[in-house]
Amino acid sequence: MTDNIPLQPVRQKKRMDSKHRGGCCECLRCCGRRDPRPRTVWLGHPEKRDQRYPRNVINNQKYNFFTFLPGVLFNQFKYFFNLYFLLLACSQFVVEMRLGALYTYWVPLGFVLAVTVIREAAEEIRCYMRDKEVNSQIYSKLTARGTVKVKSSNIQVGDLIIVEKNQRVPADMIFLRTSEKNGSCFLRTDQLDGETDWKLRLPVTCTQRLPTASDLLQIRSYVYAEEPNIDIHNFVGTFTREDSDPPVNESLSIENTLWASTVIASGTVVGVVLYTGRELRSVMNTSNPRSKIGLFDLEVNCLTKILFGALVVVSLVMVALQHFAGRWYLQIIRFLLLFSNIIPISLRVNLDMGKIVYSWVIRRDSKIPGTVVRSSTIPEQLGRISYLLTDKTGTLTQNEMVFKRLHLGTVAYGLDSMDEVQSHIFSIYTQPQDPPAVKGLSLATKVRRTMSSRVHEAVKAIALCHNVTPVYESNGVTDQAEAERHYEDSCRVYQASSPDEVALVQWTESVGLTLVGRDQSSAQLRSPGGHILNFTILQIFPFTYESKRMGIIVRDESTGEITFYMKGADVVMAGIVQYNDWLEEECGNMAREGLRVLVVAKKSLTEEQYQDFEARYVQAKLSVHDRSLKVATVIESLEMEMELLCLTGVEDQLQTDVRPTLETLRNAGIKVWMLTGDKLETATCTAKNAHLVTRTQDIHIFRLVTNRGEAHLELNAFRRKHDCALVISGDSLEVCLKYYEYEFMELACQCPAVVCCRCAPTQKAQIVRLLQERTGKLTCAVGDGGNDVSMIQEADCGVGVEGKEGKQASLAADFSITQFKHLGRLLMVHGRNSYKRSAALSQFVIHRSLCISTMQAVFSSVFYFASVPLYQGFLIIGYSTIYTMFPVFSLVLDKDVKSEVAMLYPELYKDLLKGRPLSYKTFLIWVLISIYQGSIIMYGALLLFESEFVHIVAISFTSLILTELLMVALTIQTWHWLMIVAELLSLSCYIASLVFLHEFIDVYFIATLSFLWKVTVITLVSCLPLYVLKYLRRRFSPPSYSKLTS
């Protein structure tokens, strides 16, 4: 088969997993730390520790007090660019090499470094203040003296911490007690693993039975726990109470844990702290923050190396033309210093100050309020993104489920027709049932009756078939006990592991059938008339990812009827319900609308049928061998020929304007990948709903593969698909990357969209890293949770969305936004402008330096290759500072199109992905312009040579300043009032400073008519041809953006 992937030997990579990588870095951070070991933690006695534990602090800083200055200086001087200027400045201490005053070299270098250090210090202080805010959150701690308040950073291993409802868990803990009557609590874990489902957690049985929480300090007990590790889904430990007779031993699993970064969703809990600081599961799943260096900075660094090569060549040519006479090696060094302007020291400081301006403009943009720039070193990256990797929960979606559709086969009810459902339910419970003997009922009434009963059966099934518990809380007016007794609506909240189920139960309440009570054995519904309907729960078959369905058997207390209700995914329910001709088609229609579809069915059981089932079910549960298989077989005996009641459609509400934003990004040539910890079905639904996958595109769902052979077959099947979106689970992804990394990435990069579900935080970072390695393109990662931090820090550009569940992602990101829709403007407008402006600014600064270097070369050539500077002292410093700095720097305010046009035509962004604004071609054009203008000015001044040398300096320097100011005006595309001010200010500064420059310039000569006409001629000859060329180019070969603005 020609399209088969050849089975190749596995490529062994030297890639450390994140656990070892993190560990290594941490060892460097605090030398001498031993490998983590299992631990014994005594309840309420942190002093009884058997080893040292890290402090419970969150730290997103790149440096500490001692490493700041060495770290910043190292990051600066590892650039060839800055190292060159350091060596240059140091060389001036050698007398034979000195060309002028020391300050001409050390002042610019010191200024550049000062700006960098101040900027880095400001960012580190901001980062420290954000971390301090999180570390200073207050919690309650149980002690022998009672309850005391403690900061999150002061929590120690062994402390007994009280966590209230909706409060973040501050450290990894073992769950000891809860205030909930049912003896359990729910956790929101979307900030840890990305899953929207709430998790049920159970306290240690022994400690839950104690009369009060303070009794925890009266017992002698400890927890033995495994060493800290990266696995957030498993835990092994034991709980031991020594002072009971006999001693109590309980095994502990993941069900007894409260990991840090999760949020308590029900009740108040007490836990004992097991792990803190860098040993937290959430921290071990994140990579250490790194200093990001922008691609633009690397390109500029590359251009400076080319300029250095040119500098060496020019110096060698000058010495060669002297026939290497005398101490020629010293002459080479003097020429290297003389032409050092070829590499402009002001380039780095101009670009750094430009970045500060871009960051300020982003923060001030009223169209994206609340946007924060946390890393001001890489705004140009935003203009060249090729791959966007986004989280789902809380980033694309609001994690708020809304019931959208009820489909009964012959009729469907949407949001606009829910009042009809309400009237059907109302009629069932309020109108007296007509006896069968009454004749003359109209056909319409009978049809209405039939429809009402069908709607009623569907709503009742939805209200009963779930795992939702109504909980009553005091609201200030009514206390908890009274609210529970009277089923007070205003005090009731629903708790469940899945927000989908809560949405369904809230909908049944809105149409008249309210769930008011629920425990392990019974459920109570309230009818529209206020009557309480009691049901006994006989059996519950919980939802699993394998079965994709859940069932419940209930007995109606008023009639004694036993009913088996079931709901599940259409793929499994299609084979369970009675034959029908609409299920498949309608499920497809609803799925295409981005709704999560559940099929609801029922089966009435006689008492004999149920007793027979129960006997077989109990027998199966007692069996030792193949228990799960036997239990499943017994349940399946009931799951046959069930009556199809309805389809439900629930939508996870998207963030505002997600669809148009994703469409804008697609049109801009950016490929979007969705990486989520959520279920495959949920992820696929959201991808369709958000139009990440367009209606015309097919979706290839990658089968679950566990070994090399299966991965090979599935990759071959996928290779045959074209223009097809890929959906793959984290487990399958791991297998593919292990055996066929190159082949998989090659295929995935060709897809218009990729969805990775059930992704661990470290997997998200691994995908980002592979995309960077395989494609060489820039990546941007967007997320809102703690589970996205690794991905955000690994990407070339990390964007954090400030979510409801804290700010962990936004604190670790380079840019922080409040809504996903702001990303469009951040990239299309600010990213594009930052990149184009920096490209223009860098090339103009290089042009400014090359002009004066060309003039120096011409001057030295004419005067017998002497290594004598043309301009000395203040002239050389003033040229690149007060005389030309403001107009050149004002290019950071330039823009080619209005922001509205950039948003309307995202295709303009696509042009930037090729890197054309700063390329070898544009660089060469500017070099040629510089050589032309420098030569014209110098030869012009020499041709119009007066009797004294000082007149050459006056004419050439004045022409040079005027040429630079005119060239800035030529480069600008959209004038800003500050640009005009900068031009006039620079010209005024030069004219005013002539009074003080009598050492270099004859003040009387520059007031003559001769001086004025010579300067005018030279300036016109150097600039006019370029103005003509610009006009002709705009006329006959206009750039794409000019077509939109005309």
Side-chain angles (χ1 to χ4, degrees):
M1 193 180 291
T2 54
D3 60 353
N4 268 11
I5 301 167
L7 284 166
Q8 296 173 355
V10 182
R11 297 180 181 84
Q12 292 297 327
K13 295 250 175 164
K14 287 184 181 177
R15 182 184 292 137
M16 297 181 184
D17 76 28
S18 53
K19 177 180 174 182
H20 292 111
R21 188 176 68 245
C24 175
C25 295
E26 293 300 347
C27 283
L28 288 173
R29 195 174 284 183
C30 56
C31 299
R33 187 169 66 86
R34 290 169 296 181
D35 289 335
R37 312 194 307 268
R39 59 192 59 188
T40 301
V41 178
W42 290 84
L43 267 61
H45 295 285
E47 70 281 356
K48 287 188 180 180
R49 56 189 176 196
D50 54 359
Q51 53 184 296
R52 286 187 64 185
Y53 304 118
R55 286 188 67 217
N56 193 44
V57 290
I58 286 173
N59 183 11
N60 285 306
Q61 292 163 253
K62 288 183 281 191
Y63 312 102
N64 61 33
F65 181 78
F66 299 104
T67 61
F68 174 72
L69 202 57
V72 171
L73 291 176
F74 172 75
N75 279 328
Q76 285 305 302
F77 290 122
K78 73 181 179 186
Y79 282 117
F80 162 78
F81 186 82
N82 290 345
L83 185 63
Y84 164 73
F85 281 111
L86 179 67
L87 296 172
L88 194 72
C90 290
S91 71
Q92 292 303 287
F93 290 114
V94 180
V95 178
E96 288 89 345
M97 298 180 189
R98 187 174 296 174
L99 288 175
L102 277 174
Y103 71 84
T104 58
Y105 291 92
W106 280 102
V107 170
L109 182 64
F111 180 66
V112 170
L113 290 177
V115 168
T116 305
V117 169
I118 290 167
R119 193 193 67 233
E120 285 285 343
E123 285 189 5
E124 282 294 290
I125 290 166
R126 277 205 300 269
C127 196
Y128 168 75
M129 297 306 290
R130 291 195 302 266
D131 290 343
K132 188 180 177 184
E133 185 185 337
V134 176
N135 293 328
S136 300
Q137 289 180 349
I138 301 297
Y139 291 87
S140 298
K141 180 170 95 170
L142 277 177
T143 66
R145 302 189 310 277
T147 305
V148 296
K149 299 294 181 187
V150 62
K151 285 183 180 178
S152 173
S153 57
N154 293 335
I155 289 172
Q156 295 177 291
V157 172
D159 282 345
L160 296 173
I161 302 296
I162 301 168
V163 189
E164 306 284 341
K165 183 182 176 182
N166 291 328
Q167 205 174 12
R168 182 183 72 89
V169 178
D172 288 353
M173 307 198 297
I174 290 295
F175 183 15
L176 300 177
R177 285 182 65 81
T178 176
S179 61
E180 295 289 278
K181 283 187 176 178
N182 57 10
S184 63
C185 89
F186 281 109
L187 273 185
R188 291 204 296 272
T189 63
D190 50 342
Q191 294 296 294
L192 182 69
D193 57 18
E195 293 187 23
T196 54
D197 293 0
W198 290 4
K199 307 292 186 299
L200 186 70
R201 291 290 182 261
L202 303 171
V204 176
T205 314
C206 170
T207 50
Q208 179 65 21
R209 285 188 189 135
L210 295 173
T212 63
S214 57
D215 291 332
L216 290 167
L217 293 161
Q218 309 304 320
I219 61 173
R220 276 180 54 78
S221 55
Y222 62 85
V223 171
Y224 180 75
E226 63 184 350
E227 72 279 359
N229 63 61
I230 203 166
D231 191 350
I232 56 175
H233 298 296
N234 293 294
F235 174 75
V236 177
T238 56
F239 174 87
T240 304
R241 180 177 177 181
E242 288 187 336
D243 59 352
S244 62
D245 192 22
V248 175
N249 281 295
E250 279 188 49
S251 66
L252 301 175
S253 68
I254 189 68
E255 287 186 330
N256 309 110
T257 60
L258 305 170
W259 294 148
S261 296
T262 59
V263 177
I264 303 297
S266 64
T268 301
V269 304
V270 181
V272 61
V273 176
L274 272 193
Y275 309 116
T276 52
R278 60 173 172 267
E279 293 179 344
L280 297 174
R281 291 291 208 269
S282 56
V283 173
M284 293 180 87
N285 269 287
T286 59
S287 51
N288 292 309
R290 62 186 178 97
S291 296
K292 294 183 183 179
I293 299 168
L295 177 62
F296 180 83
D297 293 317
L298 295 175
E299 288 172 344
V300 168
N301 206 35
C302 184
L303 293 182
T304 57
K305 287 175 185 174
I306 294 171
L307 290 172
F308 179 73
L311 166 64
V312 172
V313 168
V314 171
S315 303
L316 286 171
V317 167
M318 287 293 178
V319 176
L321 291 170
Q322 289 179 335
H323 308 292
F324 294 99
R327 295 204 298 177
W328 57 270
Y329 48 88
L330 268 180
Q331 285 297 313
I332 288 178
I333 294 172
R334 282 182 66 83
F335 274 119
L336 284 172
L337 295 167
L338 196 63
F339 294 126
S340 62
N341 279 318
I342 287 178
I343 305 174
I345 191 168
S346 58
L347 177 58
R348 183 85 262 146
V349 75
N350 270 288
L351 290 176
D352 283 351
M353 288 168 68
K355 291 171 196 286
I356 293 168
V357 171
Y358 309 146
S359 303
W360 183 80
V361 170
I362 291 170
R363 281 197 293 267
R364 296 268 303 184
D365 190 345
S366 59
K367 299 274 180 68
I368 48 172
T371 301
V372 179
V373 180
R374 303 204 188 279
S375 176
S376 59
T377 55
I378 54 169
E380 297 93 355
Q381 301 276 76
L382 292 169
R384 306 173 71 181
I385 301 298
S386 295
Y387 286 92
L388 180 79
L389 301 105
T390 174
D391 177 41
K392 178 187 74 71
T393 311
T395 304
L396 295 178
T397 67
Q398 298 178 24
N399 200 16
E400 289 178 6
M401 308 300 165
V402 178
F403 188 94
K404 281 290 186 80
R405 187 76 50 83
L406 178 73
H407 207 299
L408 301 175
T410 53
V411 64
Y413 298 98
L415 283 178
D416 53 350
S417 52
M418 288 303 173
D419 52 339
E420 290 183 39
V421 178
Q422 202 169 358
S423 67
H424 283 307
I425 298 296
F426 193 77
S427 67
I428 285 286
Y429 284 103
T430 54
Q431 291 180 6
Q433 295 294 313
D434 293 287
V438 176
K439 300 285 174 98
L441 276 175
S442 69
L443 183 63
T445 308
K446 286 178 182 175
V447 169
R448 165 96 187 157
R449 276 284 154 74
T450 311
M451 184 50 68
S452 291
S453 62
R454 281 181 64 196
V455 170
H456 170 243
E457 277 302 322
V459 174
K460 188 165 81 170
I462 296 166
L464 287 169
C465 187
H466 52 71
N467 260 320
V468 180
T469 308
V471 175
Y472 294 87
E473 299 172 347
S474 60
N475 61 359
V477 180
T478 315
D479 70 3
Q480 188 177 348
E482 192 180 339
E484 205 165 324
R485 198 163 53 249
H486 297 293
Y487 300 132
E488 195 68 47
D489 285 350
S490 61
C491 303
R492 184 174 52 248
V493 289
Y494 294 116
Q495 289 178 358
S497 65
S498 167
D500 298 51
E501 291 207 314
V502 175
L504 292 171
V505 172
Q506 285 174 337
W507 174 76
T508 64
E509 179 182 357
S510 72
V511 295
L513 209 54
T514 308
L515 176 73
V516 291
R518 163 80 191 255
D519 55 31
Q520 296 297 317
S521 59
S522 67
Q524 291 78 40
L525 300 180
R526 187 171 62 200
S527 70
H531 299 296
I532 301 299
L533 313 171
N534 290 297
F535 296 86
T536 303
I537 298 172
L538 302 173
Q539 299 289 347
I540 296 178
F541 313 116
F543 176 89
T544 64
Y545 293 121
E546 291 75 36
S547 68
K548 292 186 172 58
R549 58 189 183 271
M550 71 115 4
I552 188 168
I553 302 177
V554 296
R555 178 188 275 119
D556 189 333
E557 291 296 300
S558 59
T559 61
E561 288 178 8
I562 299 173
T563 313
F564 173 35
Y565 291 109
M566 178 166 276
K567 67 179 181 190
D570 55 313
V571 284
V572 293
M573 294 297 286
I576 291 172
V577 299
Q578 295 164 353
Y579 173 77
N580 61 81
D581 56 0
W582 60 274
L583 176 64
E584 190 179 345
E585 183 185 349
E586 293 304 332
C587 283
N589 291 340
M590 287 165 73
R592 275 188 287 278
E593 291 178 42
L595 301 178
R596 302 191 194 187
V597 183
L598 282 176
V599 180
V600 184
K602 78 163 193 175
K603 187 175 191 177
S604 295
L605 303 175
T606 62
E607 190 68 42
E608 292 76 22
Q609 283 175 318
Y610 175 69
Q611 294 299 338
D612 172 55
F613 164 77
E614 189 181 32
R616 289 185 291 119
Y617 186 58
V618 170
Q619 188 73 35
K621 286 211 288 188
L622 291 173
S623 61
V624 179
H625 302 294
D626 300 327
R627 179 186 296 176
S628 56
L629 182 67
K630 288 176 180 174
V631 168
T633 306
V634 173
I635 297 171
E636 280 171 15
S637 67
L638 276 188
E639 298 173 344
M640 290 186 296
E641 292 297 303
M642 295 187 75
E643 180 190 342
L644 174 58
L645 295 177
C646 65
L647 305 181
T648 63
V650 173
E651 182 183 72
D652 186 354
Q653 289 243 290
L654 293 173
Q655 296 268 4
T656 319
D657 290 339
V658 160
R659 289 176 188 142
T661 303
L662 286 175
E663 189 178 350
T664 298
L665 296 173
R666 255 201 310 272
N667 292 339
I670 299 171
K671 288 190 174 181
V672 184
W673 288 31
M674 186 168 85
L675 313 180
T676 175
D678 222 332
K679 300 189 288 288
L680 188 137
E681 293 82 2
T682 313
T684 311
C685 247
T686 305
K688 290 176 181 173
N689 194 18
H691 297 175
L692 179 67
V693 179
T694 59
R695 288 172 182 269
T696 54
Q697 282 170 356
D698 289 329
I699 293 181
H700 178 82
I701 296 179
F702 207 88
R703 277 192 316 112
L704 189 65
V705 295
T706 54
N707 56 49
R708 182 174 180 159
E710 289 177 359
H712 180 244
L713 291 170
E714 191 60 24
L715 280 170
N716 280 333
F718 177 46
R719 176 165 279 196
R720 298 186 194 101
K721 305 280 183 77
H722 298 286
D723 191 39
C724 177
L726 172 66
V727 179
I728 185 168
S729 70
D731 294 337
S732 300
L733 180 71
E734 199 170 333
V735 175
C736 289
L737 294 180
K738 185 178 179 184
Y739 297 112
Y740 297 109
E741 184 184 289
Y742 177 79
E743 291 83 357
F744 175 78
M745 291 305 294
E746 184 187 27
L747 290 172
C749 290
Q750 292 168 6
C751 293
V754 177
V755 177
C756 298
C757 53
R758 291 261 160 228
C759 263
T762 44
Q763 265 186 324
K764 291 184 178 185
Q766 186 188 8
I767 292 166
V768 173
R769 194 161 53 248
L770 284 172
L771 269 177
Q772 291 166 340
E773 288 171 5
R774 293 290 171 203
T775 64
K777 303 283 180 66
L778 291 188
T779 57
C780 174
V782 191
D784 75 313
N787 60 315
D788 303 316
V789 170
S790 292
M791 166 176 82
I792 284 169
Q793 290 179 338
E794 190 64 48
D796 296 295
C797 197
V799 179
V801 181
E802 283 204 9
K804 297 174 185 170
E805 308 302 340
K807 300 181 178 181
Q808 205 171 340
S810 73
L811 292 180
D814 305 305
F815 301 89
S816 170
I817 56 178
T818 53
Q819 293 182 56
F820 183 81
K821 68 174 181 179
H822 293 167
L823 189 66
R825 188 173 176 85
L826 191 65
L827 299 184
M828 299 302 117
V829 176
H830 295 291
R832 186 172 181 276
N833 284 345
S834 299
Y835 177 44
K836 292 205 77 167
R837 287 164 175 172
S838 281
L841 179 64
S842 59
Q843 290 176 133
F844 207 94
V845 172
I846 289 170
H847 159 265
R848 184 175 65 184
S849 297
L850 282 176
C851 269
I852 200 167
S853 298
T854 304
M855 290 169 69
Q856 177 68 57
V858 171
F859 175 76
S860 292
S861 304
V862 170
F863 288 96
Y864 310 104
F865 312 107
S867 54
V868 178
L870 170 60
Y871 305 124
Q872 293 188 356
F874 186 77
L875 284 185
I876 200 77
I877 288 183
Y879 170 65
S880 56
T881 53
I882 61 166
Y883 298 152
T884 59
M885 182 176 73
F886 299 118
V888 171
F889 188 68
S890 71
L891 289 171
V892 300
L893 302 170
D894 194 17
K895 56 183 177 185
D896 52 359
V897 293
K898 290 181 179 175
S899 56
E900 293 77 19
V901 176
M903 288 297 291
L904 193 61
Y905 298 100
E907 290 78 11
L908 289 172
Y909 186 89
K910 203 182 287 187
D911 290 346
L912 303 189
L913 300 181
K914 297 163 187 168
R916 284 177 181 162
L918 182 70
S919 61
Y920 290 120
K921 179 185 171 184
T922 57
F923 172 67
L924 184 62
I925 289 169
W926 278 102
V927 168
L928 293 173
I929 290 170
S930 306
I931 293 170
Y932 165 75
Q933 290 185 324
S935 304
I936 289 292
I937 293 168
M938 199 63 233
Y939 278 119
L942 289 167
L943 285 171
L944 305 170
F945 184 78
E946 296 276 331
S947 56
E948 296 173 56
F949 169 71
V950 75
H951 291 166
I952 296 178
V953 174
I955 294 171
S956 64
F957 195 74
T958 307
S959 297
L960 180 61
I961 298 293
L962 291 174
T963 298
E964 285 300 316
L965 298 182
L966 286 171
M967 283 301 292
V968 171
L970 176 69
T971 308
I972 289 169
Q973 289 161 332
T974 307
W975 282 90
H976 188 283
W977 66 270
L978 281 172
M979 294 172 171
I980 299 166
V981 169
E983 291 266 342
L984 295 174
L985 181 66
S986 292
L987 193 58
S988 306
C989 283
Y990 178 59
I991 293 168
S993 67
L994 289 174
V995 180
F996 307 103
L997 298 176
H998 50 80
E999 185 185 341
F1000 311 106
I1001 293 171
D1002 183 353
V1003 181
Y1004 297 104
F1005 172 68
I1006 60 175
T1008 63
L1009 194 65
S1010 167
F1011 169 80
L1012 292 174
W1013 79 259
K1014 288 172 185 176
V1015 166
T1016 305
V1017 169
I1018 293 170
T1019 308
L1020 282 175
V1021 174
S1022 71
C1023 291
L1024 197 60
L1026 296 173
Y1027 271 84
V1028 173
L1029 282 171
K1030 181 183 178 181
Y1031 171 77
L1032 292 174
R1033 188 178 172 218
R1034 289 290 294 248
R1035 184 72 194 269
F1036 298 109
S1037 178
S1040 54
Y1041 60 81
S1042 66
K1043 297 169 189 172
L1044 300 173
T1045 52
S1046 58

